[in-house]
Amino acid sequence: MTDGSAPTDAPHPAGGPGRRRAPRPGRSRWLAAGGVAVLAGVLGLTLALRAGATPACAAPPAAVPLGVAAPVAAAPPVGGTVHKGKATFYDSKGAGGNCSYPSAPANRLYVALGPTEYAAGAACGGHLDVTGPKGTVRVLVMDQCPECAPGHLDLSREAFARIADPVQGIVSVSYRAVVDPPLPGPLTFRIKEGASRYWFAVLVADHGNPLRAVEVRQGDSGGWRAAARQDYNYWLVESGAGPGPYSIRVTDVYGHRVTAGGVRLTPGQVQRGTVRMYGGGAPAGGGRPAARSASPRPSASPTPRATSPRPSPSAAPASSSPSAPDAPVVPLAAEAPAAGCGN
């Protein structure tokens, strides 16, 4: 069809059989131009394929609209970077907060972080240096402040009084994570009430820096089982880790790794080990940690979470699968960009 008329086998238009439609002005030119364009596209694709051209990249994610803050990934403060924010204060009334510690620290210098920086328990046990109008105070991350935005620190009353007049109620502050703060002693371990050889959960304390991983094995040999961090700061192996005693391997966010042996299945007791997270100086003594304090008789069934004056956000635990044997540990590094367009 070169004249723009309908095909000869098309239904006949009104006006009787054999009558042909009049050609539409310019249609033949449009068809010719379209045919040339299609032919050029086919030839271009063929040449591109023969030349091994790289496929076009996917479109980048849509930009965040102006005036809308980009979402912030949940992560604890680390690395000594200075942050700006504000501080208020509260009183835990002696409780250990969402991090499930048996009690607040003896010096009562602690802080609750908002969900983004609390990061489902990942910040527990770390320390911050907080600077306000009157000076600087070092605090233990012990609790979560559900209503606090990133940069909002809810200090203990005692800590707030070190940096500002409590009458002010809220002040501007700067703060940074403390890398390798002095340790009060070797690591401590508390097996959760209700734990058994079939359900294992342990709270690790006195580690100085935030923790990255906890692994457990029965005795001094056998495979390591990775424990999953819970948002209330216990490390869980749902299928259990055997009757004990256990070896527990602890790794912090800066790559320090130590193994403590002889941790017994004594739920509710705080057991002090013989190894420090870093710095050496472990006290002399046997491999079996001694119990420091006891709590009421364990319950008959596992308790899924600790009671706390502040609610904790839920977090899906990681898989509790056997981990690889001992391997060199290096400090966390920024993830390398994936290979592709622009790299």
Side-chain angles (χ1 to χ4, degrees):
M1 182 176 67
T2 59
D3 59 354
S5 61
T8 56
D9 59 349
H12 295 295
R19 183 174 178 179
R20 299 170 66 88
R21 288 194 181 101
R24 296 180 183 177
R27 185 167 180 185
S28 60
R29 291 193 297 272
W30 179 84
L31 289 172
V36 171
V38 170
L39 180 59
V42 172
L43 290 175
L45 177 60
T46 303
L47 291 174
L49 292 175
R50 287 181 178 176
T54 303
C57 296
V64 178
L66 291 177
V68 177
V72 179
V78 294
T81 301
V82 176
H83 305 269
K84 300 288 186 181
K86 62 182 179 180
T88 52
F89 63 89
Y90 81 110
D91 188 352
S92 77
K93 301 188 183 303
N98 275 166
C99 293
S100 300
Y101 297 129
S103 63
N107 62 12
R108 295 189 58 79
L109 301 178
Y110 53 85
V111 63
L113 301 180
T116 299
E117 292 178 296
Y118 181 77
C124 288
H127 294 75
L128 302 180
D129 278 346
V130 183
T131 302
K134 289 174 55 177
T136 299
V137 64
R138 181 164 295 179
V139 290
L140 171 72
V141 179
M142 184 193 80
D143 208 351
Q144 180 181 200
C145 172
E147 67 275 17
C148 290
H152 181 173
L153 310 181
D154 208 13
L155 298 167
S156 66
R157 179 183 293 271
E158 292 81 358
F160 189 94
R162 297 277 189 95
I163 64 165
D165 186 343
V167 173
Q168 294 178 267
I170 181 169
V171 295
S172 295
V173 296
S174 62
Y175 62 98
R176 65 175 182 88
V178 183
V179 180
D180 294 354
L183 298 172
L187 292 171
T188 65
F189 305 91
R190 185 181 190 274
I191 308 298
K192 190 163 179 49
E193 293 87 351
S196 70
R197 65 185 300 168
Y198 306 109
W199 187 87
F200 180 89
V202 63
L203 173 72
V204 184
D206 291 345
H207 42 80
N209 301 312
L211 295 183
R212 185 173 78 189
V214 170
E215 300 159 285
V216 185
R217 72 182 178 192
Q218 170 68 38
D220 296 326
S221 61
W224 290 101
R225 296 183 63 80
R229 190 202 327 260
Q230 307 300 294
D231 61 356
Y232 51 93
N233 197 33
Y234 271 82
W235 293 81
L236 174 65
V237 180
E238 286 224 48
S239 59
Y246 312 102
S247 294
I248 299 181
R249 185 164 66 183
V250 181
T251 308
D252 71 17
V253 296
Y254 303 115
H256 302 299
R257 171 183 280 181
V258 296
T259 300
V263 179
R264 293 166 287 139
L265 182 58
T266 53
Q269 293 186 354
V270 177
Q271 305 177 56
R272 184 170 290 281
T274 59
V275 294
R276 294 174 182 260
M277 195 67 220
Y278 47 82
R288 293 171 62 89
R292 284 198 305 178
S293 60
S295 67
R297 188 174 180 175
S299 57
S301 59
T303 305
R305 65 164 57 235
T307 302
S308 168
R310 295 181 181 273
S312 297
S314 61
S319 170
S320 296
S321 58
S323 64
D326 284 327
V329 179
V330 297
L332 295 178
E335 184 177 354
C341 303
N343 294 324

